[in-house]
Amino acid sequence: MKRKEEKRSGKVEDERTIGLLKARLGEENYQKLIKIDNPELHQFVAKYIELCNPDKIFVCSDLPEDILYIRRETIRAGEEEELAIGGHTVHFDGYYDQARDKANSKFLLPPGVELGPNINAMDREEGLKEIHTIMEDIMQGHQLYVRFFCLGPLNSQFAIPAVQLTDSGYVAHSEDLLYRQGYDEFVRLGRSARFLKFVHSAGELDARKTSKNIDKRRVYIDLEDETVYSMNTQYGGNTIGLKKLAMRPAITRASKEGWLTEHMFIMGVHGHSGRVTYFTGAFPSLCGKTSTAMLPGETIVGDDIAYLRNIDGVIHAVNPENGIFGIIQGVNSVDDPQIWDALHSPGEVIFSNVLVTEEKGVHWIGKDEEEPERGFHHSGEWTPGKRDEDDNLISLSHPNARFTLDMRLLENVDPELNNPAGVLVGGIIYGGRDSDTKVPVEESFDWVHGVIIQSAGLESETTAATLGKEGVRKINPMSNLDFLSIPIGRYIECHLDFGAKLNNPPPIFSVNYFLSDAEGNFMNDKTDKAVWLKWMELRSHHEIEAIKTPTGFIPRYEDLKRLFQEVLKKDYSEEDYIKQFSVRVAENLAKIERVKEFYKTKVYDTPQIVFEVLEEQRQRLIQAGEKYGDPISPSKLKLS
Ligand code: SPV
Ligand code: MN
């Protein structure tokens, strides 16, 4: 009885599994897999080989020849094509498979478990049945790659091992650039590995090697088994298991274990006397996250995801990734010199959904070079003016077109990227697209104030593509709503508890790069963010005073004037300062109402403290408004 139980739970090998693996893998691949002494892993691999039924299986042991094999096979299978610059390739996703499919990404929940109305979920049994039906023979005619990775630096308390099964060479290749190799780690850990599991199939492919059965596109997340299934899709956000798919079980693990999985960059801000202070920053897509982490003169640890732990009373952060899957639209030689260089030098780069020219060069919207008159991209042959079936104009490249590279290709990669202890976090930043309310940079009064006002209350406008035009405001707690695997209220509690256990929590800031005047023109230059960062760095070391407003601490004019001069060699006028940093009372009050409404009606487990802190902020705004009018010029307010 006991043995049967152990067998089912994957603690002992069973003959059927071993027999199947031997028969299907062939000697060489079987030996690579069996070298990892983990029956649960063997059963998992065997189960999906049997169900998905690939023609061929390749187990990658991360040796250079194995990595090379996957690259070659990907090109041979037509999933990527070589470009003119050595090491560069291009991949296309289907025309209707260009972004994360939120509607078909669902958590599979057992009876009695609820995540609340903002999180897409379905019955676990039903979902497992549906996805397993979709998976039957789905890999016929394809090669299955079995790959091992490690989220976070190796030999680190942050590290999470993960196994990926995929029949897409593009996915297996992308992961090679984006993640730390984990085969040796699996061998070392053997039966003690607590690993995440990902099964992906691009499904049947059309003549252009893109997923054909988009109607059966599914991303199903089984938290109980820490397994994510992704079917009939290729776009990286749906398929690269270790990226947004792994974030979901990682958030659940973190919530149980007292750490945080965040949608944040990590960067080193360089202060005086060689001092480097690390900041993490959460921004919704297209709100300046990567461009902040890439600021010239600073160094980057990560551009998308961060794991945060309390180590001896202070926050340490690691990047679970070591590469970038970045938006290419708008990348130009002036604003993004490091990315530009990496995209124009030999080295491994995968471009996706850009325009490829006859000379096998690439082009994208916002590249500062003359636009080609024809080319090939995700809609096939392209010339300007081309329209799709719905009569929509097709742009030169997709707005979500991407580049994928290992961060070691970047000159500004931070030397601490692989430190097993992570980096010490000196400050946390929240950013959103806000045309009329928040000041360009502000510091919260304390951890609780920051968590509730800046992160739980993070609001961003959705029409990201239209400069200056007011968009639809959406509340996006911690900019992590799309990936939350626990109820929102509980997630906020996790942040509050995390801060309560720190000796001296780092300051929490907000930035807003999108404040606009009445005509819809941005009040700040793109480059001004460099100054805000230096100000935050000084604040985190208590080296500079600030002005206390009803919503937080803001910079003094004289400090910004000096920093603008030092950082950008720019004169910063007091007039600009007053315009940008005046507290907009009515707009702030309206925002509080929207946040309150969201937490009252759309979240079922909002902690009471959220309403209390919002109410305190409301009272402060009303009182200050009565005293100083609206807007409140910073010149009327006192130093902290
Ligand atoms: C994002 O959209 O937040 C991304 C890209 O980082 S994706 O991999 O699609 O999530
Ligand atoms: Mn992201």
Side-chain angles (χ1 to χ4, degrees), residues 47-60:
K47 177 175 176 180
Y48 290 105
I49 288 175
E50 200 171 19
L51 184 66
C52 302
N53 203 12
D55 279 15
K56 211 173 158 186
I57 300 149
F58 182 74
V59 177
C60 180

Side-chain angles (χ1 to χ4, degrees), residues 84-95:
I85 298 180
H88 291 198
T89 55
V90 63
H91 161 84
F92 297 111
D93 300 306
Y95 187 72

Side-chain angles (χ1 to χ4, degrees), residues 100 243-244 263 283 285 289 303-305 402 483:
R100 276 189 273 116
K243 199 169 191 53
K244 292 313 194 323
H263 192 203
F283 297 62
S285 295
K289 190 174 168 200
D303 85 318
D304 198 28
I305 306 169
R402 302 237 166 200
F483 315 109

Side-chain angles (χ1 to χ4, degrees), residues 236-411:
N238 295 324
T239 59
I240 298 172
L242 287 91
K243 199 169 191 53
K244 292 313 194 323
L245 310 192
M247 253 182 111
R248 277 83 163 212
I251 287 172
T252 304
R253 267 198 196 190
S255 73
K256 289 180 181 159
E257 296 169 3
W259 52 282
L260 299 172
T261 295
E262 296 302 312
H263 192 203
M264 287 176 170
F265 68 61
I266 309 171
M267 69 184 294
V269 179
H270 293 239
H272 59 71
S273 329
R275 178 171 73 193
V276 183
T277 307
Y278 291 93
F279 281 78
T280 64
F283 297 62
S285 295
L286 271 172
C287 292
K289 190 174 168 200
T290 304
S291 64
T292 305
M294 281 283 172
L295 271 172
E298 316 297 7
T299 45
I300 181 166
V301 181
D303 85 318
D304 198 28
I305 306 169
Y307 292 169
L308 273 53
R309 278 181 185 264
N310 174 344
I311 299 179
D312 301 327
V314 289
I315 305 180
H316 284 246
V318 301
N319 178 7
E321 315 188 276
N322 67 357
I324 295 182
F325 176 58
I327 293 180
I328 202 163
Q329 176 165 324
V331 168
N332 65 74
S333 59
V334 179
D335 298 323
D336 315 280
Q338 302 96 339
I339 297 178
W340 182 268
D341 280 353
L343 300 185
H344 289 83
S345 316
E348 241 180 308
V349 181
I350 308 172
F351 294 86
S352 52
N353 309 313
V354 295
L355 190 80
V356 178
T357 62
E358 240 166 42
E359 299 76 37
K360 301 287 174 217
V362 291
H363 210 93
W364 57 83
I365 302 169
K367 185 178 183 182
D368 47 345
E369 273 175 8
E370 206 183 317
E371 281 187 10
E373 287 183 357
R374 56 173 25 83
F376 190 88
H377 71 177
H378 58 288
S379 82
E381 295 291 342
W382 179 87
T383 46
K386 182 177 178 183
R387 286 176 185 274
D388 67 13
E389 286 169 356
D390 304 317
D391 208 32
N392 297 317
L393 262 183
I394 304 176
S395 51
L396 176 144
S397 59
H398 194 276
N400 199 25
R402 302 237 166 200
F403 63 88
T404 301
L405 50 78
D406 183 326
M407 282 204 294
R408 281 171 294 190
L409 281 193
L410 299 174
E411 274 169 25

Side-chain angles (χ1 to χ4, degrees), residues 67-115:
I67 304 287
L68 198 61
Y69 173 83
I70 294 175
R71 273 173 217 168
R72 288 202 176 129
E73 286 295 286
T74 306
I75 290 164
R76 194 189 55 78
E79 271 199 274
E80 285 175 30
E81 192 194 331
E82 285 179 301
L83 295 167
I85 298 180
H88 291 198
T89 55
V90 63
H91 161 84
F92 297 111
D93 300 306
Y95 187 72
Y96 297 103
D97 191 25
Q98 294 283 323
R100 276 189 273 116
D101 181 357
K102 287 207 232 175
N104 285 306
S105 298
K106 293 182 187 170
F107 289 98
L108 307 181
L109 302 182
V113 179
E114 280 198 39
L115 296 180

